[in-house]
Amino acid sequence: MTVTLEAAEGVGTLRLDRPPMNALDVATQDRLRELAEEATRREDIRAVVIYGGEKVFAAGADIKEMQVMDHAAMVARARALQDSFTAVARIPKPVVAAVTGYALGGGCELALCADFRIAGENAKLGQPEILLGLIPGAGGTQRLSRLVGPSKAKDLIFTGRQVRADEALTLGLVDRVVPAGEVYEQAHAWAARLAKGPAIALRAAKEAVDTGLETDIETGLAVERTWFAGLFATEDRETGMRSFVEEGPGKAKFR
């Protein structure tokens, strides 16, 4: 399998495994969508780590496969390509990308689907599609600009240049830089901490933030207040407030 899903301690690891560079061919894209949907359904998975291994996250699309596709073939495929990445972005649980080595093109776009990105000091990220006479096609023009702003996104997309981990951190493209050997461990620890949190409230928070980024503020506020009021019907809200009153903040144990 080019992508696997394993769960431990409430954390599901979506592992890319297509040596040597984890090139994202059609089969890998489709498998990624299937497992993202599985991670969404499974109650034993409460947070997700996306990981490509110790040496490389994902170096992009399979260019040899794409080279033989004509316009008609890509028209037929482009939506499925985007849908496979959107399935990751819409996992209603905290998702962290553990980025080592290259995260280029589709690899960078996959990292953009996460809520949080931890990069190794050896990481290199970028959207080099322009060097092939193309533009990003798996969400890069949209998610990158929302994350780092339009001017910085255009710089990366227009030039196709790669950025090292320290510059990626400055740009806001990644959220934390750690030694390469600690990337997965720290990503798993981040996810495991949130896996112990109130699952419905975390889902609500993610949906409210993401919806607000995609629409006007009035619609975003409507989503926020609907979820906010709705959470008063949950057991986790009762547990959290009771624990706060009786024991102080940060000691609640959610089911």
Side-chain angles (χ1 to χ4, degrees):
M1 293 292 184
T2 56
V3 189
T4 58
L5 175 62
E6 297 181 354
E9 301 177 49
V11 177
T13 298
L14 272 173
R15 170 69 189 271
L16 301 172
D17 189 14
R18 188 170 183 252
M21 301 299 286
N22 290 335
L24 299 166
D25 64 347
V26 167
T28 302
Q29 296 163 23
D30 291 345
R31 182 63 176 163
L32 184 64
R33 185 192 70 249
E34 292 172 5
L35 293 181
E37 292 170 350
E38 180 181 334
T40 293
R41 294 191 303 268
R42 285 177 55 172
E43 293 185 2
D44 63 321
I45 293 177
R46 297 166 65 92
V48 175
V49 176
I50 311 171
Y51 183 51
E54 296 178 356
K55 295 183 178 180
V56 62
F57 185 71
D62 188 323
I63 303 303
K64 291 182 179 179
E65 182 182 66
M66 290 180 62
Q67 186 180 17
V68 300
M69 299 177 74
D70 60 13
H71 173 253
M74 187 50 73
V75 167
R77 180 63 201 172
R79 181 60 182 266
L81 165 63
Q82 289 186 344
D83 286 350
S84 63
F85 284 67
T86 297
V88 176
R90 290 183 177 171
I91 294 173
K93 304 166 185 181
V95 178
V96 56
V99 181
T100 56
Y102 291 110
L104 302 175
C108 186
E109 288 171 301
L110 181 57
L112 291 172
C113 293
D115 303 304
F116 195 77
R117 282 154 291 277
I118 296 177
E121 293 172 339
N122 65 340
K124 292 184 178 180
L125 299 92
Q127 299 289 169
E129 290 87 351
I130 202 76
L131 305 179
L132 302 174
L134 296 171
I135 65 171
T141 64
Q142 302 305 303
R143 294 190 178 99
L144 182 59
S145 57
R146 284 168 168 78
L147 182 66
V148 304
S151 294
K152 294 175 183 176
K154 287 174 182 176
D155 171 40
L156 296 177
I157 293 169
F158 289 1
T159 65
R161 69 186 183 90
Q162 299 175 20
V163 297
R164 296 181 181 275
D166 54 350
E167 184 179 359
L169 182 64
T170 300
L171 291 171
L173 181 52
V174 301
D175 302 289
R176 186 185 303 169
V177 176
V178 303
E182 299 178 13
V183 172
Y184 180 75
E185 178 185 355
Q186 293 209 26
H188 194 279
W190 183 90
R193 175 186 176 188
L194 294 179
K196 297 177 182 177
I200 300 176
L202 285 165
R203 176 175 185 159
K206 180 168 181 171
E207 182 172 320
V209 171
D210 289 351
T211 300
L213 288 171
E214 296 168 1
T215 187
D216 61 276
I217 190 168
E218 289 301 323
T219 301
L221 288 169
V223 172
E224 178 184 272
R225 66 176 175 266
T226 299
W227 267 116
F228 177 71
L231 289 168
F232 276 75
T234 65
E235 180 181 338
D236 282 343
R237 192 277 306 180
E238 296 177 6
T239 298
M241 287 192 165
R242 182 173 60 251
S243 176
F244 181 91
V245 171
E246 296 176 358
E247 304 173 288
K251 296 181 181 179
K253 292 182 172 58
F254 298 103
R255 292 201 304 171

